[in-house]
Amino acid sequence: MSEGTRGGPRGKGGQRKSGGLDDFVAGLDGRVRAVLEPLRARVQELDGVTEGIKYASMAGEWTPAAYVGSRQLYHVHIKDGMHGVMTVTPDEAPAFLAASLPEGIKQAITRGRARARTWLSVPLHSPRHVPAFMEMVAIKHRLLCERASPRRR
């Protein structure tokens, strides 16, 4: 990325760019691409998802991210061990708890239900971790799409 597009963080969530993800991923280490490419392929099959690059100011790195409308679906930290990150609100928690997710994830959601949101961080160290994370992405995607669609009376 050129110095002009880097910029500094903007607000709590940092700066968001919609373009350049393919170039960003192409410049990454082969082991990282081996995880991101199958993840992106599966995410691109979901309706209404856009991808971009997000500057995670707390981590000090640019991260690949996916969105449904203006809401973030997830982002992936690459520095210091690759992991996928998403939030779960108290309203979303029941859908995650009803799914067949690992018990550790369910415990983290249950412990965080008193907060406005729980941040979940899931290891993505190899392509074999993608299906489990994708299961969570699919739940979050469904919930964001339901929230975005007009309510019927």
Side-chain angles (χ1 to χ4, degrees):
M1 276 179 271
S2 71
E3 195 58 37
T5 60
R6 246 187 205 145
R10 184 186 71 209
K12 281 177 127 180
Q15 194 172 21
R16 176 180 168 189
K17 293 175 25 171
S18 59
L21 184 58
D22 290 333
D23 290 338
F24 177 80
V25 170
L28 296 172
D29 177 86
R31 291 172 296 162
V32 173
R33 284 194 318 271
V35 174
L36 286 178
E37 288 169 355
L39 175 62
R40 290 186 65 207
R42 298 217 20 218
V43 167
Q44 289 169 357
E45 295 172 359
L46 299 173
D47 289 336
V49 174
T50 58
E51 297 180 288
I53 307 168
K54 174 187 180 307
Y55 184 77
S57 56
M58 300 234 356
E61 69 176 317
W62 287 94
T63 62
Y67 301 85
V68 175
S70 63
R71 300 287 312 270
Q72 187 179 125
L73 185 55
Y74 70 86
H75 63 274
V76 178
H77 285 283
I78 298 166
K79 256 178 26 176
D80 302 325
M82 201 164 151
H83 55 279
V85 179
M86 71 172 52
T87 61
V88 176
T89 66
D91 290 343
E92 296 168 340
F96 283 88
L97 295 172
S100 40
L101 297 173
E103 195 56 38
I105 297 288
K106 290 183 176 187
Q107 288 174 2
I109 293 169
T110 300
R111 283 191 307 269
R113 286 180 87 173
R115 293 184 233 138
R117 73 179 51 93
T118 300
W119 288 89
L120 298 177
S121 178
V122 178
L124 290 173
H125 300 200
S126 78
R128 67 183 167 83
H129 293 123
V130 170
F133 184 65
M134 198 57 213
E135 194 174 331
M136 295 172 57
V137 169
I139 294 167
K140 181 77 172 185
H141 175 262
R142 178 178 52 82
L143 295 169
L144 291 176
C145 287
E146 286 172 0
R147 188 175 298 141
S149 66
R151 298 182 187 244
R152 299 178 189 251
R153 295 181 184 205

